[in-house]
Amino acid sequence: MPVVSDEELARRRREILEGARVCFARHGYEGATVRRLEEATGKSRGAIFHHFGDKESLFLEIAHQDAVRQAEVVARDGLVAVMRDLIHHPERHDWLVTRVEISRLLRTDAGFRARWEKHQEVLDRAVRERFEQRDVAERMRTDVPVAVLTTYLETVLDGLIARLASGGSAEGFDTVLDLVEESVRHR
């Protein structure tokens, strides 16, 4: 059997993730069957599950990658910038249509919830660290605890994701996000 280089394995892994992201976006979590994942990735189920173990692990890896990417935006520009990215570049976030299914799994499957929260901790940590940065902290409201501001912004993000996932329009949402940004600034 030929030896496959680390570079080749990484390339195959990226191809699987890219294809799976499209499959989840098109069919949802439940509808992304193994057959559909094979078609979308161009890989056999053996290859897919060699890299990711199972469908849930594959899905959570996509969630983790998004959380890491969003955490980078948060660290640089804040959580509202992540929301603006959702509006202006929906193609980067199209797999989030699975959010309704994710919500159900978070509510009904404790194991999934624990694994999901582990991956999302990357984004949560970035939001907390952003609020702790001196230059940001000086611009933020002081009459409301940081934990409340964080929950507020995360709730707005969840609402935006739910709106987009259900096919709602993001038209006019830039103005809404301007209002959200203003509401957390020092008065």
PDB file of all heavy atoms in Angstrom, residues 9 23 29 36-37 44-45 59 65 79 95-97 105 115 117 122-124 129 141 158 171:
ATOM      1  N   LEU A   9      -2.901  14.061   2.914  1.00  0.00           N
ATOM      2  CA  LEU A   9      -3.962  13.801   3.888  1.00  0.00           C
ATOM      3  C   LEU A   9      -4.673  15.105   4.270  1.00  0.00           C
ATOM      4  O   LEU A   9      -5.900  15.136   4.371  1.00  0.00           O
ATOM      5  CB  LEU A   9      -3.396  13.122   5.138  1.00  0.00           C
ATOM      6  CG  LEU A   9      -2.994  11.662   4.972  1.00  0.00           C
ATOM      7  CD1 LEU A   9      -2.277  11.171   6.225  1.00  0.00           C
ATOM      8  CD2 LEU A   9      -4.200  10.794   4.655  1.00  0.00           C
ATOM      9  N   CYS A  23     -22.954  20.244   1.559  1.00  0.00           N
ATOM     10  CA  CYS A  23     -23.995  19.235   1.771  1.00  0.00           C
ATOM     11  C   CYS A  23     -24.892  19.611   2.951  1.00  0.00           C
ATOM     12  O   CYS A  23     -26.117  19.540   2.849  1.00  0.00           O
ATOM     13  CB  CYS A  23     -23.338  17.869   1.992  1.00  0.00           C
ATOM     14  SG  CYS A  23     -24.508  16.499   2.080  1.00  0.00           S
ATOM     15  N   TYR A  29     -28.656  19.097   8.635  1.00  0.00           N
ATOM     16  CA  TYR A  29     -27.879  18.084   9.353  1.00  0.00           C
ATOM     17  C   TYR A  29     -28.469  16.685   9.123  1.00  0.00           C
ATOM     18  O   TYR A  29     -27.770  15.754   8.740  1.00  0.00           O
ATOM     19  CB  TYR A  29     -27.828  18.415  10.850  1.00  0.00           C
ATOM     20  CG  TYR A  29     -27.046  17.398  11.648  1.00  0.00           C
ATOM     21  CD1 TYR A  29     -25.658  17.437  11.645  1.00  0.00           C
ATOM     22  CD2 TYR A  29     -27.683  16.421  12.393  1.00  0.00           C
ATOM     23  CE1 TYR A  29     -24.923  16.511  12.364  1.00  0.00           C
ATOM     24  CE2 TYR A  29     -26.958  15.499  13.110  1.00  0.00           C
ATOM     25  CZ  TYR A  29     -25.579  15.545  13.106  1.00  0.00           C
ATOM     26  OH  TYR A  29     -24.866  14.615  13.810  1.00  0.00           O
ATOM     27  N   ARG A  36     -25.197  11.252   0.525  1.00  0.00           N
ATOM     28  CA  ARG A  36     -25.087  12.636   0.069  1.00  0.00           C
ATOM     29  C   ARG A  36     -23.716  13.228   0.403  1.00  0.00           C
ATOM     30  O   ARG A  36     -23.165  14.006  -0.374  1.00  0.00           O
ATOM     31  CB  ARG A  36     -26.194  13.492   0.675  1.00  0.00           C
ATOM     32  CG  ARG A  36     -27.533  13.234   0.017  1.00  0.00           C
ATOM     33  CD  ARG A  36     -28.618  14.073   0.631  1.00  0.00           C
ATOM     34  NE  ARG A  36     -29.835  13.981  -0.142  1.00  0.00           N
ATOM     35  CZ  ARG A  36     -31.042  14.225   0.350  1.00  0.00           C
ATOM     36  NH1 ARG A  36     -31.181  14.595   1.614  1.00  0.00           N
ATOM     37  NH2 ARG A  36     -32.100  14.116  -0.417  1.00  0.00           N
ATOM     38  N   LEU A  37     -23.185  12.875   1.549  1.00  0.00           N
ATOM     39  CA  LEU A  37     -21.841  13.339   1.907  1.00  0.00           C
ATOM     40  C   LEU A  37     -20.808  12.772   0.938  1.00  0.00           C
ATOM     41  O   LEU A  37     -19.879  13.478   0.536  1.00  0.00           O
ATOM     42  CB  LEU A  37     -21.498  12.961   3.348  1.00  0.00           C
ATOM     43  CG  LEU A  37     -22.201  13.793   4.424  1.00  0.00           C
ATOM     44  CD1 LEU A  37     -22.040  13.147   5.796  1.00  0.00           C
ATOM     45  CD2 LEU A  37     -21.672  15.221   4.431  1.00  0.00           C
ATOM     46  N   SER A  44     -15.250   8.366  -0.565  1.00  0.00           N
ATOM     47  CA  SER A  44     -16.018   7.227  -0.057  1.00  0.00           C
ATOM     48  C   SER A  44     -16.316   7.427   1.429  1.00  0.00           C
ATOM     49  O   SER A  44     -15.646   8.206   2.112  1.00  0.00           O
ATOM     50  CB  SER A  44     -15.213   5.936  -0.225  1.00  0.00           C
ATOM     51  OG  SER A  44     -14.101   5.938   0.670  1.00  0.00           O
ATOM     52  N   ARG A  45     -17.299   6.686   1.918  1.00  0.00           N
ATOM     53  CA  ARG A  45     -17.611   6.781   3.345  1.00  0.00           C
ATOM     54  C   ARG A  45     -16.413   6.371   4.189  1.00  0.00           C
ATOM     55  O   ARG A  45     -16.167   6.939   5.244  1.00  0.00           O
ATOM     56  CB  ARG A  45     -18.852   5.977   3.699  1.00  0.00           C
ATOM     57  CG  ARG A  45     -18.679   4.478   3.693  1.00  0.00           C
ATOM     58  CD  ARG A  45     -19.969   3.718   3.945  1.00  0.00           C
ATOM     59  NE  ARG A  45     -20.957   4.073   2.946  1.00  0.00           N
ATOM     60  CZ  ARG A  45     -22.261   4.186   3.171  1.00  0.00           C
ATOM     61  NH1 ARG A  45     -22.747   3.907   4.336  1.00  0.00           N
ATOM     62  NH2 ARG A  45     -23.076   4.540   2.213  1.00  0.00           N
ATOM     63  N   PHE A  59     -19.460  17.412  11.279  1.00  0.00           N
ATOM     64  CA  PHE A  59     -20.270  18.606  11.459  1.00  0.00           C
ATOM     65  C   PHE A  59     -19.645  19.530  12.509  1.00  0.00           C
ATOM     66  O   PHE A  59     -19.528  20.741  12.304  1.00  0.00           O
ATOM     67  CB  PHE A  59     -21.681  18.191  11.889  1.00  0.00           C
ATOM     68  CG  PHE A  59     -22.634  19.324  12.042  1.00  0.00           C
ATOM     69  CD1 PHE A  59     -23.235  19.895  10.944  1.00  0.00           C
ATOM     70  CD2 PHE A  59     -22.932  19.812  13.297  1.00  0.00           C
ATOM     71  CE1 PHE A  59     -24.128  20.946  11.079  1.00  0.00           C
ATOM     72  CE2 PHE A  59     -23.823  20.862  13.450  1.00  0.00           C
ATOM     73  CZ  PHE A  59     -24.421  21.429  12.347  1.00  0.00           C
ATOM     74  N   GLN A  65     -14.260  25.218  12.968  1.00  0.00           N
ATOM     75  CA  GLN A  65     -13.546  26.088  12.033  1.00  0.00           C
ATOM     76  C   GLN A  65     -14.222  27.449  11.934  1.00  0.00           C
ATOM     77  O   GLN A  65     -13.547  28.481  11.896  1.00  0.00           O
ATOM     78  CB  GLN A  65     -13.461  25.439  10.654  1.00  0.00           C
ATOM     79  CG  GLN A  65     -12.475  24.318  10.576  1.00  0.00           C
ATOM     80  CD  GLN A  65     -12.349  23.776   9.173  1.00  0.00           C
ATOM     81  OE1 GLN A  65     -13.093  24.138   8.263  1.00  0.00           O
ATOM     82  NE2 GLN A  65     -11.395  22.873   8.993  1.00  0.00           N
ATOM     83  N   LEU A  79     -17.714  41.511  17.992  1.00  0.00           N
ATOM     84  CA  LEU A  79     -18.763  40.560  17.614  1.00  0.00           C
ATOM     85  C   LEU A  79     -19.729  41.131  16.575  1.00  0.00           C
ATOM     86  O   LEU A  79     -20.237  40.398  15.725  1.00  0.00           O
ATOM     87  CB  LEU A  79     -19.531  40.098  18.856  1.00  0.00           C
ATOM     88  CG  LEU A  79     -20.489  38.937  18.683  1.00  0.00           C
ATOM     89  CD1 LEU A  79     -19.775  37.705  18.113  1.00  0.00           C
ATOM     90  CD2 LEU A  79     -21.160  38.577  19.995  1.00  0.00           C
ATOM     91  N   TRP A  95     -23.950  27.124   5.626  1.00  0.00           N
ATOM     92  CA  TRP A  95     -24.246  25.893   6.367  1.00  0.00           C
ATOM     93  C   TRP A  95     -24.993  26.183   7.666  1.00  0.00           C
ATOM     94  O   TRP A  95     -25.569  25.290   8.287  1.00  0.00           O
ATOM     95  CB  TRP A  95     -22.963  25.104   6.623  1.00  0.00           C
ATOM     96  CG  TRP A  95     -22.184  25.638   7.790  1.00  0.00           C
ATOM     97  CD1 TRP A  95     -21.374  26.720   7.792  1.00  0.00           C
ATOM     98  CD2 TRP A  95     -22.177  25.114   9.102  1.00  0.00           C
ATOM     99  NE1 TRP A  95     -20.860  26.905   9.045  1.00  0.00           N
ATOM    100  CE2 TRP A  95     -21.335  25.935   9.874  1.00  0.00           C
ATOM    101  CE3 TRP A  95     -22.806  24.030   9.708  1.00  0.00           C
ATOM    102  CZ2 TRP A  95     -21.102  25.703  11.214  1.00  0.00           C
ATOM    103  CZ3 TRP A  95     -22.568  23.813  11.050  1.00  0.00           C
ATOM    104  CH2 TRP A  95     -21.722  24.637  11.787  1.00  0.00           C
ATOM    105  N   LEU A  96     -25.052  27.455   8.091  1.00  0.00           N
ATOM    106  CA  LEU A  96     -25.747  27.801   9.322  1.00  0.00           C
ATOM    107  C   LEU A  96     -27.261  27.627   9.218  1.00  0.00           C
ATOM    108  O   LEU A  96     -27.961  27.768  10.212  1.00  0.00           O
ATOM    109  CB  LEU A  96     -25.401  29.233   9.741  1.00  0.00           C
ATOM    110  CG  LEU A  96     -23.989  29.409  10.297  1.00  0.00           C
ATOM    111  CD1 LEU A  96     -23.686  30.884  10.539  1.00  0.00           C
ATOM    112  CD2 LEU A  96     -23.779  28.610  11.571  1.00  0.00           C
ATOM    113  N   VAL A  97     -27.752  27.301   8.018  1.00  0.00           N
ATOM    114  CA  VAL A  97     -29.181  26.985   7.906  1.00  0.00           C
ATOM    115  C   VAL A  97     -29.517  25.787   8.789  1.00  0.00           C
ATOM    116  O   VAL A  97     -30.680  25.546   9.102  1.00  0.00           O
ATOM    117  CB  VAL A  97     -29.621  26.716   6.445  1.00  0.00           C
ATOM    118  CG1 VAL A  97     -29.404  27.940   5.584  1.00  0.00           C
ATOM    119  CG2 VAL A  97     -28.931  25.504   5.859  1.00  0.00           C
ATOM    120  N   LEU A 105     -30.953  19.698  18.756  1.00  0.00           N
ATOM    121  CA  LEU A 105     -29.959  18.787  19.325  1.00  0.00           C
ATOM    122  C   LEU A 105     -29.390  19.336  20.638  1.00  0.00           C
ATOM    123  O   LEU A 105     -29.153  18.569  21.581  1.00  0.00           O
ATOM    124  CB  LEU A 105     -28.829  18.537  18.325  1.00  0.00           C
ATOM    125  CG  LEU A 105     -29.179  17.659  17.131  1.00  0.00           C
ATOM    126  CD1 LEU A 105     -28.081  17.723  16.079  1.00  0.00           C
ATOM    127  CD2 LEU A 105     -29.422  16.223  17.576  1.00  0.00           C
ATOM    128  N   ARG A 115     -20.288  18.545  23.368  1.00  0.00           N
ATOM    129  CA  ARG A 115     -19.294  18.637  22.288  1.00  0.00           C
ATOM    130  C   ARG A 115     -19.405  19.974  21.552  1.00  0.00           C
ATOM    131  O   ARG A 115     -18.402  20.593  21.216  1.00  0.00           O
ATOM    132  CB  ARG A 115     -19.437  17.455  21.338  1.00  0.00           C
ATOM    133  CG  ARG A 115     -18.991  16.140  21.983  1.00  0.00           C
ATOM    134  CD  ARG A 115     -19.044  14.961  21.047  1.00  0.00           C
ATOM    135  NE  ARG A 115     -20.395  14.584  20.664  1.00  0.00           N
ATOM    136  CZ  ARG A 115     -21.233  13.860  21.412  1.00  0.00           C
ATOM    137  NH1 ARG A 115     -20.866  13.451  22.605  1.00  0.00           N
ATOM    138  NH2 ARG A 115     -22.431  13.556  20.973  1.00  0.00           N
ATOM    139  N   GLU A 117     -20.562  22.863  22.767  1.00  0.00           N
ATOM    140  CA  GLU A 117     -20.078  23.932  23.643  1.00  0.00           C
ATOM    141  C   GLU A 117     -18.561  23.956  23.694  1.00  0.00           C
ATOM    142  O   GLU A 117     -17.964  25.034  23.775  1.00  0.00           O
ATOM    143  CB  GLU A 117     -20.681  23.781  25.037  1.00  0.00           C
ATOM    144  CG  GLU A 117     -22.166  24.147  25.063  1.00  0.00           C
ATOM    145  CD  GLU A 117     -22.852  23.824  26.378  1.00  0.00           C
ATOM    146  OE1 GLU A 117     -22.225  23.203  27.272  1.00  0.00           O
ATOM    147  OE2 GLU A 117     -24.040  24.188  26.511  1.00  0.00           O
ATOM    148  N   VAL A 122     -14.220  28.577  21.837  1.00  0.00           N
ATOM    149  CA  VAL A 122     -13.237  29.408  21.140  1.00  0.00           C
ATOM    150  C   VAL A 122     -13.812  30.799  20.891  1.00  0.00           C
ATOM    151  O   VAL A 122     -13.163  31.813  21.156  1.00  0.00           O
ATOM    152  CB  VAL A 122     -12.823  28.744  19.798  1.00  0.00           C
ATOM    153  CG1 VAL A 122     -11.967  29.664  18.962  1.00  0.00           C
ATOM    154  CG2 VAL A 122     -12.132  27.425  20.049  1.00  0.00           C
ATOM    155  N   LEU A 123     -15.033  30.848  20.398  1.00  0.00           N
ATOM    156  CA  LEU A 123     -15.681  32.128  20.112  1.00  0.00           C
ATOM    157  C   LEU A 123     -16.044  32.851  21.405  1.00  0.00           C
ATOM    158  O   LEU A 123     -15.824  34.058  21.532  1.00  0.00           O
ATOM    159  CB  LEU A 123     -16.930  31.908  19.250  1.00  0.00           C
ATOM    160  CG  LEU A 123     -17.692  33.150  18.825  1.00  0.00           C
ATOM    161  CD1 LEU A 123     -16.800  34.123  18.071  1.00  0.00           C
ATOM    162  CD2 LEU A 123     -18.889  32.752  17.960  1.00  0.00           C
ATOM    163  N   ASP A 124     -16.571  32.127  22.368  1.00  0.00           N
ATOM    164  CA  ASP A 124     -16.936  32.745  23.647  1.00  0.00           C
ATOM    165  C   ASP A 124     -15.723  33.387  24.311  1.00  0.00           C
ATOM    166  O   ASP A 124     -15.803  34.497  24.842  1.00  0.00           O
ATOM    167  CB  ASP A 124     -17.555  31.705  24.582  1.00  0.00           C
ATOM    168  CG  ASP A 124     -18.872  31.152  24.072  1.00  0.00           C
ATOM    169  OD1 ASP A 124     -19.481  31.780  23.180  1.00  0.00           O
ATOM    170  OD2 ASP A 124     -19.289  30.086  24.549  1.00  0.00           O
ATOM    171  N   GLU A 129     -12.364  38.106  25.868  1.00  0.00           N
ATOM    172  CA  GLU A 129     -11.060  38.759  25.776  1.00  0.00           C
ATOM    173  C   GLU A 129     -11.169  40.117  25.086  1.00  0.00           C
ATOM    174  O   GLU A 129     -10.474  41.063  25.450  1.00  0.00           O
ATOM    175  CB  GLU A 129     -10.056  37.858  25.063  1.00  0.00           C
ATOM    176  CG  GLU A 129      -9.656  36.663  25.900  1.00  0.00           C
ATOM    177  CD  GLU A 129      -8.814  35.640  25.146  1.00  0.00           C
ATOM    178  OE1 GLU A 129      -8.541  35.828  23.931  1.00  0.00           O
ATOM    179  OE2 GLU A 129      -8.437  34.631  25.778  1.00  0.00           O
ATOM    180  N   ARG A 141     -20.001  50.520  27.762  1.00  0.00           N
ATOM    181  CA  ARG A 141     -20.834  50.970  28.876  1.00  0.00           C
ATOM    182  C   ARG A 141     -20.263  50.432  30.187  1.00  0.00           C
ATOM    183  O   ARG A 141     -19.783  49.307  30.241  1.00  0.00           O
ATOM    184  CB  ARG A 141     -22.249  50.438  28.710  1.00  0.00           C
ATOM    185  CG  ARG A 141     -22.991  51.058  27.557  1.00  0.00           C
ATOM    186  CD  ARG A 141     -24.333  50.444  27.400  1.00  0.00           C
ATOM    187  NE  ARG A 141     -25.177  50.761  28.565  1.00  0.00           N
ATOM    188  CZ  ARG A 141     -26.497  50.765  28.510  1.00  0.00           C
ATOM    189  NH1 ARG A 141     -27.123  50.478  27.397  1.00  0.00           N
ATOM    190  NH2 ARG A 141     -27.191  51.056  29.585  1.00  0.00           N
ATOM    191  N   ASP A 158     -27.514  35.180  17.738  1.00  0.00           N
ATOM    192  CA  ASP A 158     -28.387  34.005  17.583  1.00  0.00           C
ATOM    193  C   ASP A 158     -29.654  34.360  16.809  1.00  0.00           C
ATOM    194  O   ASP A 158     -30.105  33.595  15.951  1.00  0.00           O
ATOM    195  CB  ASP A 158     -28.768  33.427  18.947  1.00  0.00           C
ATOM    196  CG  ASP A 158     -27.624  32.697  19.629  1.00  0.00           C
ATOM    197  OD1 ASP A 158     -26.632  32.357  18.949  1.00  0.00           O
ATOM    198  OD2 ASP A 158     -27.725  32.463  20.849  1.00  0.00           O
ATOM    199  N   GLU A 171     -31.998  42.531   4.794  1.00  0.00           N
ATOM    200  CA  GLU A 171     -32.115  43.917   4.324  1.00  0.00           C
ATOM    201  C   GLU A 171     -32.385  44.838   5.503  1.00  0.00           C
ATOM    202  O   GLU A 171     -33.233  44.555   6.350  1.00  0.00           O
ATOM    203  CB  GLU A 171     -33.250  44.035   3.306  1.00  0.00           C
ATOM    204  CG  GLU A 171     -33.324  45.403   2.668  1.00  0.00           C
ATOM    205  CD  GLU A 171     -34.391  45.443   1.580  1.00  0.00           C
ATOM    206  OE1 GLU A 171     -34.578  44.444   0.872  1.00  0.00           O
ATOM    207  OE2 GLU A 171     -35.027  46.509   1.476  1.00  0.00           O
TER     208      GLU A 171
END
